[in-house]
Amino acid sequence: TVRHPSGTLTRNGIAIVNELNSTTWHLYSFIDGDLGIFNADSLKGRFDNVSGLYMATSDLRLKSGIRNIGSVSQQLARLQPRRYVYRSDVAAHEYYGFIAQEIEQVFPELVHRDNETGLRTVSYTELIPLTIAAWQEEQQRNQEQEEILADLQNNLELALVRIGDLENALTSCCRAGEMQGQRLQATPLDGQAQLGQNIPNPFQASTDIPYFLPAGSGVAEIRILDLDGRIRERLRLPAQGFGQVTFRHEGWPAGTYLYGLFIEGRPIQIREMLLM
């Protein structure tokens, strides 16, 4: 049992002195019951008297060159947590931790090599601020991603509004085409062949093409052409008078196509259609 008076500046407590260089460590029992560790009259840390937790000295007044850690996520990802046993442990108890030489390749400042024994020690406590810094990086990335997602959501909502406007415009266009087809069927044509606008237009799977053929027109067909003038499809017109044929494409690419009324191989009328 060692009893000592109070007062840290008087080096009370238990002193451990290296006789070669007089390096001195003190163990000191504080009034509040904590156990303090001093080196050269400077408090290095203390053990809590209730929980036994060790608290390292971290006062601002003792530090200089303070700066942000920076990005460490990729470096932390390179660390390899290990399971191992100590060779001197006859019970072969398994521990979790790191290998000093492996940490040294990533964070050399966390590893200290003892000049007397040559053994390396690891400052595990310093991994805590590094882990927090990496967590803050992740939080920042998550916030940026949330902002990007919010922008995408806004853009999507604007796109949906524009699609709705386009659908309304297409509906109006189709109604106009239907009315044109109705006018084609209702209007006397004085015996002239006529080709109506396809309904609907634009279209996706199929569309109807109205036409009129006067009596004695001969062989008549509707040809579907690309913009280069190549014939992609022929639709034989089965009857004379007012009628319509349905065109269904087989996986054609979207775009603008031409369709025309041909009688005995002669073009009578050419129109455009839009495949979506």
Side-chain angles (χ1 to χ4, degrees):
T1 300
V2 177
R3 298 180 181 274
H4 65 75
S6 298
T8 60
L9 298 181
T10 55
R11 296 190 178 183
N12 292 318
I14 299 176
I16 302 175
V17 183
N18 187 309
E19 64 177 9
L20 180 63
N21 56 16
S22 297
T23 299
T24 303
W25 284 89
H26 278 86
L27 299 180
Y28 175 80
S29 177
F30 285 97
I31 297 176
D32 60 9
D34 288 356
L35 176 64
I37 300 177
F38 289 79
N39 179 267
D41 291 336
S42 176
L43 178 64
K44 300 303 180 182
R46 59 198 295 165
F47 290 93
D48 182 74
N49 73 94
V50 177
S51 64
L53 291 175
Y54 176 74
M55 298 168 286
T57 302
S58 186
D59 196 286
L60 174 66
R61 293 169 293 180
L62 302 177
K63 302 175 182 181
S64 63
I66 300 173
R67 60 189 185 279
N68 292 331
I69 291 178
S71 177
V72 293
S73 296
Q74 295 182 355
Q75 291 171 279
L76 283 176
R78 294 172 54 192
L79 297 183
Q80 297 293 328
R82 303 293 192 182
R83 301 168 65 176
Y84 49 82
V85 296
Y86 283 96
R87 295 178 180 178
S88 60
D89 186 4
V90 295
H93 178 78
E94 193 168 55
Y95 294 87
Y96 297 90
F98 296 96
I99 306 301
Q101 284 82 349
E102 294 178 348
I103 288 187
E104 195 171 22
Q105 297 177 9
V106 183
F107 293 106
E109 59 274 14
L110 299 186
V111 178
H112 304 272
R113 184 178 182 277
D114 179 59
N115 293 328
E116 295 184 31
T117 64
L119 295 178
R120 289 171 172 82
T121 56
V122 175
S123 177
Y124 279 90
T125 304
E126 291 184 87
L127 285 172
I128 297 175
L130 293 175
T131 303
I132 293 177
W135 175 80
Q136 290 175 338
E137 286 182 54
E138 184 66 22
Q139 292 297 108
Q140 180 65 28
R141 283 193 293 267
N142 290 340
Q143 181 178 353
E144 292 173 355
Q145 291 177 355
E146 289 177 359
E147 293 174 355
I148 292 174
L149 289 176
D151 291 339
L152 290 176
Q153 181 66 29
N154 292 334
N155 293 335
L156 177 60
E157 292 175 356
L158 291 175
L160 291 175
V161 172
R162 293 174 180 173
I163 290 175
D165 294 340
L166 178 60
E167 288 177 346
N168 293 334
L170 291 177
T171 300
S172 300
C173 177
C174 292
R175 289 176 179 173
E178 292 174 357
M179 294 177 61
Q180 183 175 0
Q182 294 171 359
R183 287 197 299 270
L184 173 64
Q185 296 181 2
T187 304
L189 300 174
D190 299 330
Q192 295 182 4
Q194 187 173 352
L195 180 66
Q197 184 65 48
N198 63 302
I199 305 168
N201 186 45
F203 70 100
Q204 292 183 338
S206 64
T207 184
D208 296 326
I209 303 175
Y211 65 90
F212 173 78
L213 290 177
S217 297
V219 178
E221 63 180 2
I222 291 177
R223 298 178 183 178
I224 312 297
L225 309 96
D226 57 28
L227 294 180
D228 293 327
R230 292 188 294 266
I231 299 176
R232 299 289 301 269
E233 187 76 21
R234 296 174 184 264
L235 304 175
R236 185 72 177 267
L237 302 183
Q240 297 177 351
F242 292 101
Q244 70 177 23
V245 292
T246 300
F247 165 61
R248 295 181 177 85
H249 69 90
E250 298 293 337
W252 291 15
T256 301
Y257 292 87
L258 303 175
Y259 68 99
L261 174 61
F262 288 76
I263 299 178
E264 297 295 340
R266 294 182 298 105
I268 304 301
Q269 193 173 2
I270 304 294
R271 289 183 177 275
E272 290 185 356
M273 63 171 58
L274 179 62
L275 172 60
M276 296 182 63

